[in-house]
Amino acid sequence: MLKPVPGARGAAKRLRARSFRVAECTKQIADSVCREFQHASLFYMAGGRFLITAPFENEWEPKLAALQARIDHELFLKFGGEVAFHLAAAPYSDGKVPKDRLSEQHQKRRARPQECALLSENGWREDRFFAAAGEGWGKCPACLRTMARLKRVDDQDICEDCANDVDLGGWLSRWQPPQGQEPLLKREELLHHFPRIDGRPADFQDLADQSAGKHWLGHLRIDADHMGQSFRDLEGNPSRIWGLSRFLQTFFCNRVQELLQQRYPSIYPVYGGGDDLYVIGPWDRVLDLAVKLREEFRELTAPEGLTFSAGLALGKPHQHILTKSDEAADALDSAKRAGRDRICALGTVSDWKEFRKTLCRAGDVLRWYRTGAIPDVMTCTQPTADRGTRLATAFLQNILQLSRAGGNVKRGLWKPRLNYQIVRNVKKPDVYCQRWLSNLLDGGHEWRTAPAVVRYVLLAKEPDPKEPG
């Protein structure tokens, strides 16, 4: 919903602004429901959803239908069909949330989105599906809609809605709303951290410049696993449902906010809350944040067995945010398909324990490549007095080539080739490096994770001036 398209500048501001608009719209609709039903109270609200309780009324069904009709019309006029909100309700008398009936009613409603805006007594309202273009109308490069009013923003002509989103995204970075436009949401209800350089908002190039080695960005998407089943397992218990919802919102919004401010100030959050998160930042810092979040999440939820999965996409600072967002989403899907509680990053899907070992080993290999101990890098081994170990770039590249060798890998032909590369391109390996090389040749865990280790090292090593960025 409300997703800007690749091609126009300012996509990060527009995406953040539209995420805010959806959250604010959710709050506005929740307030409308509470006003419509006497003594109604908001039970919880997170991730574009809310649950409201109210005393039983005999006429609750027509009242809810009228409210849904009003919402359909207002959202259609405001967002042109890009946003739909579905209300579902069910009576209960046993003190438990009627989750099965609510789910059934919600599915029925989702099957008929915006029907009150698109249907009339005489059938389809055809004027709502198409609009005749006026003279001089053009297509907005930011949202691909044909709009009459184009505005000049950042040396590009975009529609008025997108221009407003750019302005909104700008003041969200400062939290200085225009006079008379105080938002419904409070600042602390949002993941509002914004990286700054010398007091000014940092751009993506600024963030990439803080990466180790190659000045690339990491696009990280996180989503909690099996949340639908987790809520169903609560069997309608109101306090437990509230507790789980509150925990997820607190962790993916407030706790992430604290971590960004205290430990990862160079990471930019696009959105966070409910049970998901999307952040952009220096690729190495983003990986570190992913591991840190998983450790804390697991520690807090170990008795309940809650987990989350993650996907990472790497990109240069000028590459379009939405393209990379889709790549990160694809990586997240790969992690979930592999069994959940996993991360797909650096070309490999692994569980979190294995991924931490991968980063640990990458620190070792990076040290050997650089010939010496490196500060601020997680390593499995300790620096030794012998600083003579040297891994050639050609050796690392050959590991990647051999790992992609397909049939040669299955037939075991990679082993003699790898051994040849070790003899040729590894100079004076110390005892720890020699042990790693031996484990590579054994074809076990070290060989499986070697491609991800090598990709990390090739990213983190000091860039060669002759290499393209």
Side-chain angles (χ1 to χ4, degrees), residues 293-308:
L293 285 174
R294 198 275 177 177
E295 289 175 350
E296 291 199 3
F297 191 81
R298 189 62 177 155
E299 182 178 350
L300 292 170
T301 64
E304 292 77 20
L306 299 182
T307 61
F308 68 66

Side-chain angles (χ1 to χ4, degrees), residues 63-372:
K63 185 180 290 189
L64 186 71
L67 181 57
Q68 179 72 72
R70 190 165 74 245
I71 291 171
D72 283 353
H73 284 290
E74 291 177 355
L75 291 183
F76 188 89
L77 294 176
K78 186 174 182 179
F79 298 114
E82 289 189 88
V83 174
F85 207 95
H86 312 289
L87 296 179
Y92 70 102
S93 58
D94 57 359
K96 294 185 177 182
V97 176
K99 53 184 178 58
D100 292 336
R101 283 171 289 172
L102 280 175
S103 178
E104 179 183 351
Q105 293 301 315
H106 191 249
Q107 290 302 319
K108 288 181 179 179
R109 181 60 206 172
R110 287 177 62 89
R112 301 174 66 85
Q114 303 186 60
E115 66 172 339
C116 297
L118 300 175
L119 288 173
S120 67
E121 295 179 356
N122 300 319
W124 294 109
R125 299 186 58 173
E126 296 182 4
D127 60 313
R128 292 290 175 93
F129 291 89
F130 301 97
E135 184 178 355
W137 281 31
K139 182 178 288 186
C140 172
C143 65
L144 297 186
R145 289 187 296 169
T146 302
M147 301 292 291
R149 294 166 297 192
L150 298 179
K151 296 180 65 174
R152 194 73 174 172
V153 178
D154 295 335
D155 297 325
Q156 61 183 343
D157 293 323
I158 58 178
C159 71
E160 189 171 18
D161 287 342
C162 289
N164 291 337
D165 285 337
V166 172
D167 291 339
L168 177 58
W171 73 251
L172 281 173
S173 67
R174 305 180 302 272
W175 199 263
Q176 295 176 349
Q179 188 174 4
Q181 298 184 27
E182 195 66 28
L184 291 174
L185 296 170
K186 298 178 181 178
R187 191 169 188 256
E188 58 270 18
E189 295 177 308
L190 299 167
L191 186 50
H192 56 268
H193 172 76
F194 201 96
R196 296 182 179 277
I197 301 263
D198 298 328
R200 65 171 177 82
D203 58 28
F204 284 164
Q205 185 63 60
D206 294 325
L207 303 185
D209 288 344
Q210 299 184 53
S211 300
K214 287 186 181 292
H215 294 170
W216 281 23
L217 294 172
H219 296 250
L220 176 71
R221 297 187 65 160
I222 290 176
D223 185 67
D225 298 323
H226 299 299
M227 279 299 102
Q229 184 60 50
S230 296
F231 276 101
R232 286 192 291 272
D233 290 344
L234 301 181
E235 299 180 341
N237 185 299
S239 60
R240 296 178 68 195
I241 290 176
W242 180 89
L244 178 55
S245 301
R246 185 60 186 166
F247 165 75
L248 292 172
Q249 177 66 15
T250 299
F251 184 84
F252 285 106
C253 182
N254 302 83
R255 179 53 186 155
V256 171
Q257 173 77 16
E258 292 176 358
L259 283 173
L260 296 186
Q261 290 178 332
Q262 297 169 6
R263 296 184 55 169
Y264 306 97
S266 59
I267 292 180
Y268 168 83
V270 180
Y271 57 77
D275 62 352
D276 59 356
L277 177 71
Y278 176 27
V279 299
I280 305 170
W283 67 269
D284 54 318
R285 302 301 291 158
V286 164
L287 287 175
D288 190 38
L289 172 66
V291 172
K292 175 63 175 175
L293 285 174
R294 198 275 177 177
E295 289 175 350
E296 291 199 3
F297 191 81
R298 189 62 177 155
E299 182 178 350
L300 292 170
T301 64
E304 292 77 20
L306 299 182
T307 61
F308 68 66
S309 298
L312 178 84
L314 296 170
K316 300 177 182 179
H318 64 269
Q319 290 181 295
H320 204 279
I321 179 178
L322 295 176
T323 301
K324 292 300 165 182
S325 172
D326 289 341
E327 290 180 12
D330 292 340
L332 175 59
D333 289 341
S334 296
K336 287 182 175 289
R337 286 195 301 270
R340 315 220 174 200
D341 195 23
R342 284 165 168 76
I343 180 171
C344 178
L346 302 173
T348 303
V349 176
S350 56
D351 62 46
W352 288 98
K353 183 177 180 180
E354 185 177 70
F355 185 68
R356 184 172 178 82
K357 290 181 179 179
T358 297
L359 295 184
C360 181
R361 179 59 71 202
D364 290 334
V365 178
L366 182 61
R367 175 169 60 83
W368 295 325
Y369 176 87
R370 290 175 170 173
T371 315

